[in-house]
Amino acid sequence: MSEVFSWREAPAADFAVIGDPVAHSRSPWMHGAAYRELGLDLRYVAVHVPVGEVAEALDRLSSLGYQGVNVTVPHKEAAMEWCVQVEPTARRVRAVNTVRLSDRSGVNTDAPGFMDTLRDLGLEQGGTCLMLGAGGSARALAVALEEAGWRLRIWNRTASRAEEMVSSLGLSAEVLEEPQVEGAGLLLNTTSASLSGAELPIDWSVVSSASVAYDLAYGQSPFLATAAAHGLRTCDGLPLLVAQGARSLEWWLGVEAPRRQMAEAIG
Ligand code: NDP
């Protein structure tokens, strides 16, 4: 667990992650490791911001001299609204996860960071993705996948929420009543089912062992364990955490992020 500060009592520092809750965030370790590797005298802290206080908190961190902020659940939309300059993908998915305070500008590094991780998995050629879930993180990834030419099928426990996501984002994705795995080279679990240990209604007997199973949750999950037992390659959420953090650092500081050291700090 990182040390957490209330935004009203935020210490002198340079960068922060804000969220509610935020104590579980590994970003302070990851960015701290990057600064040490780069020889930069910078400090990155975790700051708790309750719902409804994002604008006030960002104003305060800005006045304290913070340069930038990463934004986690549930504040990505509120952060977008605080920013006066928002890059197009972040505006489309209504989620800013990286803010530069000096000019109130915001970007979304989850979407390109996710594509970095697919490249590292050798999946840059695209194909068909079965996306499980239609929550906050699914939105950015669905847009990134379609922009990169992937065919997208989406299954969500609450089908109406998947329908709403597809229509509000203008996606051409198909919404499924049941998770349909045949022909999908990428099975992407964006649900929070892994956090509670819940199983998803997948018929593993028809999954191709050539597919890749990707879970946004960190570490082993029932989804990845079952996928591995059926011979699939697997990827958990840590590479995405590193990829989005590395892109945030690069956007703020204009230097190449030391991804290996960042990954080691949270591995
Ligand atoms: P949201 O709360 O916005 O969405 C949760 C989604 O999970 C919904 O689609 C919900 O379906 C579904 N869900 C929840 N419980 C179950 C269940 N028992 N069975 C089936 N579906 C279920 O969450 P986020 O999108 O913010 O986060 C989702 C996951 O991604 C979390 O595990 C989170 O930790 C992880 N994450 C990882 C990141 C990383 O960097 N690796 C970044 C961001 C998130 P319904 O609509 O029916 O409720």
Side-chain angles (χ1 to χ4, degrees):
M1 290 276 191
S2 304
E3 185 183 4
V4 176
F5 300 92
S6 151
W7 69 265
R8 292 178 203 278
E9 285 146 26
D14 306 283
F15 294 95
V17 54
I18 65 165
D20 183 16
V22 74
H24 64 281
S25 175
R26 304 183 195 202
S27 292
W29 307 337
M30 187 170 73
H31 286 269
Y35 304 153
R36 280 192 298 282
E37 177 63 22
L38 294 168
L40 298 172
D41 183 18
L42 295 172
R43 186 178 181 200
Y44 186 115
V45 294
V47 173
H48 177 242
V49 177
V51 171
E53 298 178 15
V54 171
E56 269 180 297
L58 290 175
D59 286 342
R60 168 126 180 96
L61 295 177
S62 187
S63 71
L64 287 173
Y66 282 62
Q67 298 180 47
V69 166
N70 280 132
V71 183
T72 186
V73 177
H75 297 323
K76 292 181 186 180
E77 184 164 2
M80 187 208 72
E81 282 160 2
W82 183 83
C83 290
V84 293
Q85 296 176 67
V86 179
E87 53 99 13
T89 300
R91 185 168 298 289
R92 182 170 174 208
V93 302
R94 302 195 61 74
V96 157
N97 79 323
T98 308
V99 177
R100 185 166 54 215
L101 294 164
S102 59
D103 61 354
R104 292 180 75 143
S105 58
V107 296
N108 183 304
T109 66
D110 292 328
F114 174 68
M115 297 316 293
D116 293 344
T117 66
L118 290 192
R119 188 200 55 223
D120 293 344
L121 287 164
L123 294 175
E124 62 272 47
Q125 78 285 0
T128 298
C129 171
L130 169 64
M131 175 179 276
L132 306 158
S137 47
R139 296 174 65 83
L141 306 196
V143 166
L145 282 163
E146 280 208 353
E147 281 180 354
W150 283 76
R151 286 179 300 282
L152 201 54
R153 302 172 184 162
I154 304 175
W155 171 84
N156 193 45
R157 180 177 61 178
T158 311
S160 58
R161 204 164 168 211
E163 299 279 7
E164 191 282 326
M165 179 174 99
V166 167
S167 75
S168 66
L169 291 175
L171 299 171
S172 51
E174 182 188 357
V175 175
L176 306 173
E177 289 296 320
E178 305 291 336
Q180 209 182 80
V181 293
E182 294 94 331
L186 175 62
L187 311 183
L188 175 61
N189 182 15
T190 75
T191 75
S192 44
S194 301
L195 302 180
S196 60
E199 295 277 356
L200 295 167
I202 293 172
D203 180 359
W204 290 98
S205 67
V206 295
V207 174
S208 161
S209 60
S211 302
V212 173
Y214 193 138
D215 197 326
L216 294 194
Y218 307 138
Q220 191 61 285
S221 65
F223 173 77
L224 291 187
T226 314
H230 284 81
L232 278 74
R233 273 197 302 149
T234 63
C235 177
D236 76 347
L238 285 174
L240 172 56
L241 180 67
V242 174
Q244 61 77 31
R247 280 181 171 263
S248 297
L249 184 149
E250 288 168 349
W251 186 65
W252 287 323
L253 300 176
V255 295
E256 191 177 343
R259 286 170 168 72
R260 185 170 57 80
Q261 288 79 4
M262 293 170 80
E264 283 168 3
I266 58 168

